[in-house]
């Protein structure tokens, strides 16, 4: 490692094209499995409430705890991935996920099930940055769009299939099938991955700044928890108001940022914020946050509308939302190829505009709106998001030098969780407030809820408009100039060319 505060770029091993493809496929498929589980609990909440005799607010913690754990663990992955081998990181992620899944399947009481979800989320939080960092290390800049498109398929399709998969499994039997069905698949991926995965780069020994760890964990955790509770109906009943928790989390995150900036001048920070000095990365980060706020708002509101206003069952709702998720995923590789040819602006601006228009049209729905129209709008919304996400992830990370890839992936993942929580809290608060006002004015329960949902989508449309403005700032970044790295590799008898093979 070089002297000073900058870490040396990781040495990229010479790998045949087929081996590179195999490495990325292992990580992509494993990530698909762990992400599928993030949303698989959506349809099981009513059944779990009855079986464990818990309230809706308590059962909701099965999803909230997952998001909270992701927010707590991801900031540390930037440091962690530079100090362990690829195989070690993969093994830890899959071990945690398998342990959590097995514990959940056998959970005798609700607290055990909740703890199992936390363990699962710990594995998921490691897997996502590991996939992104490995991709950016192995794939050359001119081919990253296409490969990132394949990863977009996983990121978008897995969460979209979760509710539908849970609906089918719950029709077949007990809620424990949600975990028993995933367990053998995840186990097979873990064994296959440990057998065929190779290490990418060399671990870099270095100290950890222990004060930064609780600042990151408590800060991001409190921020996401507070934001998640702002729109909840039970927010007035909790011991600490969500507003206070959100403010405390914001202060602690601010202290965490201040400490990282100080550490950058004298030692190695836990999360290297020099990534934010790269304009392309900062713009992509802002666009991603706004896009996730809009997406999560719609993701929350649509099932409520379809079940409580349109009268569909949970299974019908899940099936209706599958085409949109599949569309976003299947478009990912094609959008990636277009990115390699056309660059980011020609894709991101139309995609953001289409997203904003669809959210505005969702704001016009009422009790008589056809579910088929909702399906068409959801597919169109997914098309717009596909044209945003792949170019944003690719252009944002591509500008960073290799030693900042883990930190860039960790920052993207952390703020993605914060943005998702903020978007959810905002639309739920607006929906609840306007639904209550409509009910006070004499509307029936369904009509009042429909009014609240329209206002929620209206807020999403405003966020979509802001996304379009930020999208106008997006540029296709040039490849980072690092003349010393190829020279160092040549001296070792290796080059990037063999390792930089396209993945399919």
């Amino acid at each position: 490692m070089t002297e000073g505060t900058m870490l040396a770029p990781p040495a990229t091993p010479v790998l045949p094209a087929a081996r590179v493809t195999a490495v990325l496929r292992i990580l992509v498929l494993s990530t698909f499995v762990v992400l599928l589980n993030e949303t698989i609990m959506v349809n099981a909440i009513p059944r779990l409430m009855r079986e464990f005799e818990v309230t809706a607010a308590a059962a909701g913690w099965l999803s909230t705890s997952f998001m909270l754990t992701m927010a707590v663990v991801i900031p540390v992955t930037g440091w962690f991935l530079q100090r362990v081998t690829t195989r070690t990181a993969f093994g830890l992620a899959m071990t945690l996920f398998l342990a959590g899944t097995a514990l959940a399947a056998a959970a005798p009481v609700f607290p055990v099930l909740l703890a199992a979800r936390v363990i699962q989320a710990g594995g998921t939080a490691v897997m996502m940055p590991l996939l992104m960092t490995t991709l950016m290390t192995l794939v050359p800049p001119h081919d990253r769009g296409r490969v990132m498109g394949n990863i977009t398929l996983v990121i978008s399709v897995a969460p979209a299939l979760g509710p539908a998969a849970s609906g089918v499994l719950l029709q077949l039997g007990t809620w424990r099938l949600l975990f028993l069905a995933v367990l053998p698949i995840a186990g097979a991926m873990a064994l296959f991955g440990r057998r065929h995965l190779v290490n990418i780069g060399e671990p870099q020994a270095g100290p950890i700044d222990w004060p930064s760890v609780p600042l990151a964990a408590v800060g991001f955790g409190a921020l996401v928890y507070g934001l998640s509770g702002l729109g909840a109906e039970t927010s007035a009943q909790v011991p600490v108001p969500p507003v206070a928790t959100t403010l405390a989390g914001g202060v602690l995150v601010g202290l965490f940022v201040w400490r990282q900036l100080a550490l950058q001048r004298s030692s190695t920070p836990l999360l290297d914020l020099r990534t934010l000095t790269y304009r392309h990365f900062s713009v992509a980060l802002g666009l991603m946050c706004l896009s996730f706020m809009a997406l999560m708002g719609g993701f929350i509101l649509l099932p409520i509308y379809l079940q409580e206003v349109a009268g569909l069952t949970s299974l019908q709702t899940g099936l209706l939302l599958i085409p949109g998720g599949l569309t976003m995923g299947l478009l990912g590789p094609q959008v990636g190829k277009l990115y390699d040819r056309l660059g980011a602006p020609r894709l991101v601006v139309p995609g953001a505009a289409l997203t904003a228009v669809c959210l505005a049209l969702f704001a016009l729905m009422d009790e008589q709106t056809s579910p088929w129209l909702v399906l068409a709008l959801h597919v169109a919304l997914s098309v717009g998001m596909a044209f945003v996400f792949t170019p944003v992830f690719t252009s944002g990370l591509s500008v960073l030098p290799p030693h900042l890839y883990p930190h860039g992936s960790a920052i993207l993942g952390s703020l993605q969780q914060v943005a998702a929580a903020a978007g959810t809290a905002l639309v739920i608060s607006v929906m609840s407030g306007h639904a209550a006002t409509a009910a006070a004015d004499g509307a029936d329960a369904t009509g009042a809820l429909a009014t609240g949902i329209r206002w929620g989508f209206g807020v999403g449309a405003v966020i979509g408009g802001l996304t379009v403005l930020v999208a106008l700032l997006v540029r296709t970044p040039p490849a980072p100039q690092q003349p010393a790295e190829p020279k160092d590799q040549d001296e070792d008898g290796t080059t990037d060319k063999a390792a930089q093979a396209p993945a399919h």
Side-chain angles (χ1 to χ4, degrees):
M1 185 162 44
T2 60
E3 295 294 325
T5 59
M6 295 295 288
L7 295 172
T12 305
V14 177
L15 296 179
R19 199 61 184 273
V20 173
T21 301
V23 168
L24 291 177
R25 280 180 175 170
I26 290 169
L27 293 178
V28 165
L29 291 174
S30 300
T31 303
F32 180 88
V33 173
V34 299
L35 282 181
L36 176 69
N37 215 66
E38 185 173 3
T39 57
I40 206 168
M41 299 298 295
V42 172
N43 288 328
I45 296 299
R47 188 174 298 189
L48 292 169
M49 290 170 58
R50 292 192 298 270
E51 178 157 339
F52 289 115
E53 298 181 351
V54 296
T55 64
W61 267 95
L62 293 172
S63 296
T64 302
S65 63
F66 202 101
M67 186 166 56
L68 272 175
T69 305
M70 294 272 285
V72 167
V73 174
I74 287 177
V76 186
T77 59
W79 174 87
F80 175 73
L81 292 179
Q82 287 187 314
R83 285 155 179 81
V84 298
T85 64
T86 307
R87 287 168 55 84
T88 299
F90 176 82
L92 174 64
M94 293 306 294
T95 298
L96 285 173
F97 183 79
L98 284 168
T101 303
L103 183 62
V109 292
F110 184 77
V112 174
L113 180 59
L114 189 60
R117 290 289 286 171
V118 170
I119 297 172
Q120 279 185 318
T124 305
V126 175
M127 187 61 70
M128 277 298 298
L130 174 64
L131 172 60
M132 291 292 187
T133 301
T134 304
L135 180 151
M136 298 303 297
T137 303
L138 289 182
V139 180
H142 68 268
D143 206 31
R144 284 173 183 163
R146 181 175 63 82
V147 181
M148 188 68 79
N150 293 330
I151 290 178
T152 303
L153 187 152
V154 171
I155 295 173
S156 58
V157 171
L161 288 179
S166 66
V168 173
L169 290 172
L170 289 171
Q171 291 279 60
L172 297 176
T174 173
W175 59 268
R176 298 182 190 274
L177 285 176
L178 300 180
F179 302 103
L180 292 173
V182 171
L183 194 59
I185 301 173
M189 288 308 308
L191 293 175
F192 183 79
R194 288 292 293 173
R195 180 176 299 176
H196 296 283
L197 200 63
V198 296
N199 292 324
I200 308 302
E202 295 293 334
Q204 302 171 19
I208 184 172
D209 180 59
W210 289 109
S212 294
V213 176
L215 279 176
V218 180
F220 282 100
L223 187 59
V224 171
Y225 173 68
L227 288 170
S228 301
L230 287 177
E233 295 179 358
T234 57
S235 60
Q237 303 171 12
V238 296
V240 181
V243 172
T245 307
T246 303
L247 291 176
V251 170
L252 290 174
V253 169
L255 290 174
F256 172 77
V257 170
W258 172 79
R259 184 163 183 85
Q260 304 318 295
L261 294 175
L263 289 172
Q264 286 172 184
R265 296 192 293 267
S266 59
S267 61
T268 304
L270 181 68
L271 191 61
D272 200 324
L273 300 182
R274 278 172 287 218
T275 53
L276 301 178
T277 63
Y278 293 82
R279 178 185 176 278
H280 297 291
F281 178 79
S282 297
V283 171
L285 185 65
L287 183 59
M288 184 275 296
C289 288
L290 288 172
S291 298
F292 263 93
M293 285 183 68
L295 177 64
M296 286 305 298
F299 187 79
I300 291 295
L301 291 176
L302 269 179
I304 296 174
Y305 169 83
L306 291 171
Q307 295 183 48
E308 303 300 329
V309 178
L312 301 185
T313 65
S314 58
L315 178 59
Q316 289 172 328
T317 298
L319 294 176
L320 187 143
L321 296 178
I322 283 181
L326 291 177
T327 298
M328 187 188 300
L330 295 175
L331 274 178
Q334 306 308 316
V335 173
K337 293 177 183 177
L338 289 175
Y339 171 85
D340 292 331
R341 289 171 45 201
L342 304 177
R346 296 181 183 179
L347 303 175
V348 172
V349 175
L354 178 58
T355 298
V357 169
C358 290
L359 290 170
L361 292 175
F362 274 128
L364 302 178
M365 295 188 306
D366 57 24
E367 299 93 319
Q368 283 73 46
T369 301
S370 168
W372 295 107
L373 178 59
V374 177
L375 172 63
L377 283 176
H378 185 243
V379 170
L381 176 68
S382 301
V383 171
M385 287 294 184
F387 274 79
V388 171
F389 285 145
T390 297
V392 165
F393 279 115
T394 308
S395 64
L397 290 173
S398 291
V399 74
L400 300 178
H403 67 276
L404 290 180
Y405 289 158
H407 295 277
S409 299
I411 291 173
L412 278 172
S414 300
L415 292 189
Q416 175 183 324
Q417 297 300 315
V418 173
T424 300
L426 183 59
V427 298
I428 292 296
S429 296
V430 170
M431 180 196 74
S432 301
H434 283 276
T437 300
D441 291 340
D444 58 24
T446 301
L449 183 59
T451 299
I453 291 173
R454 285 196 295 271
W455 276 95
F457 275 116
V459 170
V462 173
I463 298 174
L466 295 175
T467 303
V468 175
L469 295 178
V470 177
L472 295 173
L473 303 176
V474 171
R475 299 290 182 270
T476 303
Q481 300 297 317
Q482 295 158 333
E485 184 179 350
K487 179 180 178 181
D488 292 340
Q489 290 177 340
D490 288 341
E491 291 173 355
D492 294 336
T494 64
T495 64
D496 281 338
K497 293 180 181 179
Q500 292 175 338
H504 302 283

